[in-house]
Amino acid sequence: MAIYTNTTGSAKLKSYFETGDVPSAANFIDLIDSFAIYDGTLPLISGSYISTGSFATIHTRKLCATGSGYLGGSNLNVEGNLIPLTDATYNLGSSSLKWNNVHTATASIGHMSSSLIPVKDNTYDLGSSTNEWKDLHVDGTANLDVVNVVGALTVGVDDTGHDVKFFGATSGQFLLWDESADELVLSGDSKLSFHDAAGGENIIASANGHLEINSGTTLDVTAPLIDLNGQITASGNISASGDLSVTGTATIGTLSVSSLANNVSITGISSSGQLLNVSGNIVPHATDTFNLGSTSLLWSNIYATYITSSIISSSTNKSTTTLTNTIGAASEETSNAFINILTVSQIKASGSVTGLVTVSGSLVPGDNTSLHNLGTSSKAWNDLHVGGVGYINHLSSSNDLSFISASVSIIPGADNTYDLGSPTREWSNVYVEGSASIGILANIDHNTVSSSASLVPNNDNAFDLGSTDKEWKDLYLDGTANIDTLNADTASIGRLGTSIIPTTNNTYSLGSSTFKFKDLSLAGNTLTNHITSSGNISGSGTLDITGNSNIDGTLSVAGAATGTVGFQNSAVARTATNDGSGTGTIAAGTAVVSVDADSDANHIIILPAPVIGNIIHLIETGTTGYELRTSTPASIGINGGTASNGESAIAGAITYVKCVCVSSTNWICSQFDADGDESKVEAAA
């Protein structure tokens, strides 16, 4: 080991005494200084890596291992702990002299006072899969290329969150959790996909107001009750394993039914005007098993080109078939012919038939319908019994009575189709003991109906005289018109001989906002309850109001207004919003405002358009604070301050703000804290 004093090294000191000469005073001083290590005054202690030495404590300003002249190498090797004398006092390096690289297995650092930047990009890790950091607190921005969260991820705290946004590869496409609106937003036509990315199972807003739910194969919705409000349009098939209940009208282009339950009843088809149209065959499930109708419930008429049965059989149209075979001859007439079933296309008889003739098929004349008669003028049939429909072109009576007696109802075959008489062949008189229900009563005695008796409806409060689209023109009454409810578009009444009393209290108006009466002349002076006017109320005398008066519009008083107990304004509630629109805007004419800041000091309250002299008092319901703007902040100022979106901050400690409009471009506002200290509101900026 070499020891150096301020001027001499230990090797030179040794040479002073090896010659046998008497050392000088300077030599002794250097010798003494060489043993002065205890006070730390030696500028340099140098030793090679093979030298040995032990010092309890070394006080020095500099340790160098920079060359072979001193320690024999460029490394300083420490075999023990390197511990500062005092905790949290000394530095390892400085702001101007920094260590190049620090290699350590474990490091415990209380605080970092500079950025922590790796030497190489995308090379080193902060922690590992087995040794992870516990908590990471970042007040700025964490820029992470890939985030892999193994545990729970929490943003904000309950009742106070933050906006979270995930951008896509296309402009305007992103996922946003909007904490202020408590809303998860898929911007634009971003998809919410299931099962796999870019698959066919997704929910997408393809346009504003158009939400699509797409499924590659099947959309399965399971719930005890699915409530769909609106029209349902299906371009494919609809399959239901349960019951289909329709309370309205089911309009079906083609109905295919594989089976029907017993006792199927279609009650809506109740007359000949309502038809059940079938475009295919109606075939029973088993042959010779089911009936069409029953012995007690018969079909009226069956219209068919061909009818084939075990009793009546016809495979061709007999009217177009020429028959050449005959049974017997005219000279071989038999007295009796007993036939169980007779199928013929035409019956010709020159004699008489007594008894009953039972026909199980249609009885049709052989030629044109105008050639053959059923009976004659001298030999008429007694009674004609028809269970179905009787089609008769002309019906007349040739006996002396000149009338046809009917003991049944006469009903036309179709509704609103057939006439009783015609414009050129009219009935003389109609006698009806019961009710005559007539759809349209017209063209009677040149548009005049004369009655020598009262015209009384059959049921009270059941029938109308005219309708909303078919009204009578004029009504002339010489007596009294007793009407429960009168609804007239226009009424001209000369004088009233009675009071006008509404049927319901505080419900109906006399006049309207668009149609008003001109003058109201009253002999008395009593008006009870409310007087509402959208125009002016003028009086040359005194207006005495003993009750309460509610004026929704503006009350303008040209003269002095005197109040016995003063005039008070009720507070109008306003809730601050993000941009001041909606509930954040104070309406014109408002004097006192109760402000709800909505738990956000950045929410905005907007003053109404300026009217010189208007005074507005704003009282906050909480201690959040809010921003105050004018209706046009770029040109209308607060305490002289204007700016685009300019506003004045109202602190949470401010309870009351008073604003006075002094010009068309400026409001003067002052503020008061909870104990009444007054100060001016900061100018809008």
Side-chain angles (χ1 to χ4, degrees):
M1 175 180 287
I3 302 175
Y4 296 84
T5 66
N6 290 329
T7 59
T8 308
S10 58
K12 189 173 182 180
L13 289 174
K14 185 178 179 181
S15 65
Y16 290 156
F17 297 97
E18 287 179 342
T19 59
D21 297 334
V22 177
S24 64
N27 297 142
F28 280 104
I29 291 174
D30 287 341
L31 179 61
I32 292 171
D33 288 340
S34 68
F35 295 106
I37 299 176
Y38 70 91
D39 64 0
T41 58
L42 289 179
L44 180 65
I45 299 177
S46 177
S48 66
Y49 70 93
I50 60 174
S51 301
T52 59
S54 177
F55 300 96
T57 303
I58 297 177
H59 295 274
T60 181
R61 293 185 179 275
K62 185 177 182 182
L63 288 176
C64 293
T66 59
S68 58
Y70 298 102
L71 297 181
S74 60
N75 295 330
L76 178 62
N77 296 322
V78 179
E79 295 184 359
N81 297 325
L82 189 61
I83 302 173
L85 181 64
T86 305
D87 182 49
T89 302
Y90 308 108
N91 302 323
L92 191 62
S94 67
S95 59
S96 59
L97 294 173
K98 303 179 178 64
W99 293 96
N100 185 24
N101 295 312
V102 177
H103 301 276
T104 176
T106 303
S108 177
I109 302 173
H111 297 280
M112 298 282 297
S113 60
S114 64
S115 301
L116 187 62
I117 303 174
V119 175
K120 295 181 180 180
D121 182 53
N122 194 24
T123 302
Y124 306 107
D125 301 327
L126 192 63
S128 67
S129 59
T130 55
N131 289 333
E132 301 172 344
W133 292 97
K134 183 177 182 291
D135 297 322
L136 177 63
H137 300 274
V138 179
D139 197 22
T141 301
N143 296 306
L144 306 173
D145 292 344
V146 179
V147 178
N148 184 11
V149 180
V150 179
L153 176 63
T154 301
V155 179
V157 297
D158 189 16
D159 195 33
T160 303
H162 302 285
D163 290 345
V164 180
K165 182 179 288 188
F166 297 92
F167 286 102
T170 305
S171 176
Q173 305 287 85
F174 55 82
L175 170 66
L176 169 65
W177 168 251
D178 189 345
E179 64 88 19
S180 62
D182 294 330
E183 188 174 31
L184 183 63
V185 180
L186 283 172
S187 177
D189 57 351
S190 301
K191 294 180 181 178
L192 177 60
S193 295
F194 302 88
H195 194 272
D196 54 3
E201 302 79 20
N202 57 71
I203 300 176
I204 178 174
S206 59
N208 187 15
H210 189 166
L211 182 64
E212 298 179 5
I213 301 177
N214 301 312
S215 176
T217 303
T218 302
L219 178 63
D220 191 353
V221 180
T222 302
L225 175 63
I226 300 175
D227 190 356
L228 300 177
N229 298 311
Q231 181 176 339
I232 300 174
T233 302
S235 59
N237 298 329
I238 299 178
S239 300
S241 58
D243 297 332
L244 177 63
S245 300
V246 179
T247 58
T249 301
T251 303
I252 302 173
T254 301
L255 177 63
S256 176
V257 181
S258 58
S259 63
L260 293 174
N262 294 331
N263 299 324
V264 175
S265 176
I266 305 178
T267 58
I269 302 177
S270 58
S271 67
S272 59
Q274 296 170 311
L275 304 177
L276 176 63
N277 294 320
V278 180
S279 299
N281 298 324
I282 299 179
V283 181
H285 184 67
T287 185
D288 197 21
T289 302
F290 307 105
N291 300 322
L292 190 63
S294 66
T295 57
S296 58
L297 294 174
L298 306 173
W299 292 99
S300 177
N301 297 303
I302 297 177
Y303 300 93
T305 303
Y306 304 103
I307 298 177
T308 302
S309 71
S310 59
I311 298 177
I312 299 176
S313 177
S314 176
S315 60
T316 60
N317 190 344
K318 298 300 183 179
S319 63
T320 61
T321 302
T322 302
L323 301 180
T324 58
N325 298 325
T326 59
I327 300 177
S331 60
E332 297 175 350
E333 181 179 356
T334 60
S335 59
N336 294 303
F338 298 94
I339 302 173
N340 185 23
I341 298 175
L342 176 64
T343 302
V344 298
S345 61
Q346 189 178 34
I347 298 177
K348 293 182 179 181
S350 59
S352 61
V353 179
T354 60
L356 296 177
V357 177
T358 301
V359 180
S360 299
S362 298
L363 189 60
V364 180
D367 296 313
N368 188 282
T369 55
S370 62
L371 297 178
H372 307 288
N373 301 321
L374 191 62
T376 65
S377 58
S378 59
K379 292 185 178 181
W381 294 96
N382 184 26
D383 295 321
L384 178 64
H385 300 274
V386 179
V389 179
Y391 296 94
I392 303 173
N393 289 338
H394 298 282
L395 185 63
S396 64
S397 175
S398 60
N399 57 19
D400 295 336
L401 297 177
S402 298
F403 66 84
I404 298 174
S405 176
S407 301
V408 295
S409 300
I410 300 176
I411 301 174
D415 183 51
N416 195 24
T417 302
Y418 308 109
D419 301 328
L420 191 62
S422 70
T424 57
R425 293 177 178 253
E426 301 175 344
W427 294 97
S428 176
N429 297 309
V430 177
Y431 299 93
V432 179
E433 180 69 24
S435 300
S437 299
I438 302 174
I440 299 175
L441 185 62
N443 297 326
I444 300 178
D445 193 11
H446 303 289
N447 296 325
T448 301
V449 179
S450 299
S451 176
S452 300
S454 299
L455 189 62
V456 181
N458 190 45
N459 295 322
D460 181 54
N461 194 24
F463 308 107
D464 301 326
L465 192 62
S467 66
T468 56
D469 57 343
K470 295 290 180 77
E471 302 173 343
W472 294 99
K473 184 176 182 295
D474 297 321
L475 178 64
Y476 297 93
L477 296 176
D478 196 21
T480 302
N482 296 306
I483 302 174
D484 292 341
T485 301
L486 177 62
N487 184 6
D489 294 336
T490 302
S492 177
I493 302 174
R495 293 185 179 183
L496 293 176
T498 183
S499 300
I500 300 178
I501 302 174
T503 58
T504 305
N505 184 40
N506 195 23
T507 301
Y508 307 107
S509 303
L510 193 63
S512 67
S513 59
T514 55
F515 292 96
K516 305 168 184 176
F517 284 97
K518 183 175 182 295
D519 298 319
L520 178 63
S521 301
L522 299 174
N525 57 2
T526 301
L527 294 174
T528 59
N529 292 332
H530 302 287
I531 300 176
T532 301
S533 173
S534 60
N536 299 326
I537 299 178
S538 301
S540 58
T542 301
L543 177 63
D544 294 326
I545 302 175
T546 58
N548 297 327
S549 297
N550 296 322
I551 301 176
D552 295 332
T554 301
L555 176 64
S556 299
V557 181
T562 303
T564 304
V565 295
F567 297 93
Q568 297 295 329
N569 295 302
S570 299
V572 177
R574 295 281 86 185
T575 301
T577 59
N578 285 335
D579 58 359
S581 62
T583 60
T585 300
I586 301 174
T590 304
V592 180
V593 179
S594 176
V595 177
D596 180 359
D598 198 25
S599 303
D600 191 334
N602 293 321
H603 282 184
I604 298 168
I605 290 291
I606 296 180
L607 294 169
V611 177
I612 298 176
N614 276 10
I615 302 175
I616 298 179
H617 306 270
L618 297 94
I619 303 171
E620 186 179 358
T621 59
T623 58
T624 300
Y626 55 93
E627 301 287 348
L628 185 63
R629 283 187 185 177
T630 64
S631 56
T632 310
S635 59
I636 302 173
I638 296 177
N639 290 343
T642 60
S644 177
N645 294 328
E647 56 196 19
S648 300
I650 307 301
I654 298 302
T655 301
Y656 163 58
V657 176
K658 177 182 179 182
C659 293
V660 181
C661 181
V662 296
S663 70
S664 61
T665 58
N666 194 44
W667 293 79
I668 292 179
C669 299
S670 58
Q671 58 188 10
F672 300 82
D673 60 14
D675 59 359
D677 292 331
E678 181 180 7
S679 60
K680 69 176 182 178
V681 173
E682 67 176 17

